[in-house]
Amino acid sequence: MQTYKSYRSLFRINFAIHEVMGKQLPRPITLDALASFAMFFIINSFVFHIIPVSNPVLWNSITSMLLGYIFSQFDPQGKFMIVWLIDFFFFLIRYKTINLQGKKLTQKRKMSIDDWYSIKI
């Protein structure tokens, strides 16, 4: 019997490409991996214009496929890795108005030199 800890896992559907032009693929390609490949292909195209390599298109394709495969294997918090990284980045830069308990943060006054001496560790 399967148990679910979250409703999110019940509705997570992994879309995948199983065949191309009528030919069955040996392994389905998920859309997460395809999106990762496309993102890294664009990023690497700029990188390989700066770094001199013998065949930049080949190196770009190989590194994009590897990075796309690696990123599609991770599943942090039930999210696609790229979406999780974007959410984490926005979490770091946004202004925090509540703490982890859900209580509102108050504006604290600036500490004076006398306050530094009264801090107990």
Side-chain angles (χ1 to χ4, degrees), residues 33-102:
L34 195 60
S36 296
F37 169 77
M39 184 191 72
F40 285 120
F41 192 83
I42 292 169
I43 293 170
N44 286 341
S45 64
F46 294 115
V47 171
F48 285 116
H49 279 293
I50 297 170
I51 299 172
V53 291
S54 60
N55 193 347
V57 176
L58 178 67
W59 282 105
N60 188 1
S61 300
I62 291 171
T63 56
S64 298
M65 279 190 259
L66 287 173
L67 290 171
Y69 176 75
I70 290 168
F71 268 64
S72 68
Q73 299 304 308
F74 294 116
D75 193 24
Q77 297 180 353
K79 294 182 181 179
F80 172 47
M81 183 63 150
I82 306 290
V83 174
W84 183 82
L85 286 173
I86 291 169
D87 286 347
F88 184 69
F89 173 73
F90 283 126
F91 168 75
L92 290 177
I93 63 171
R94 78 170 181 229
Y95 178 73
K96 278 64 167 186
T97 57
I98 59 172
N99 64 8
L100 294 175
Q101 296 174 340

Side-chain angles (χ1 to χ4, degrees), residues 1-15 75 77-79:
M1 180 156 103
Q2 269 186 326
T3 59
Y4 296 98
K5 295 181 180 178
S6 170
Y7 72 92
R8 183 178 235 171
S9 61
L10 293 172
F11 298 104
R12 181 157 170 86
I13 300 171
N14 290 328
F15 294 101
D75 193 24
Q77 297 180 353
K79 294 182 181 179

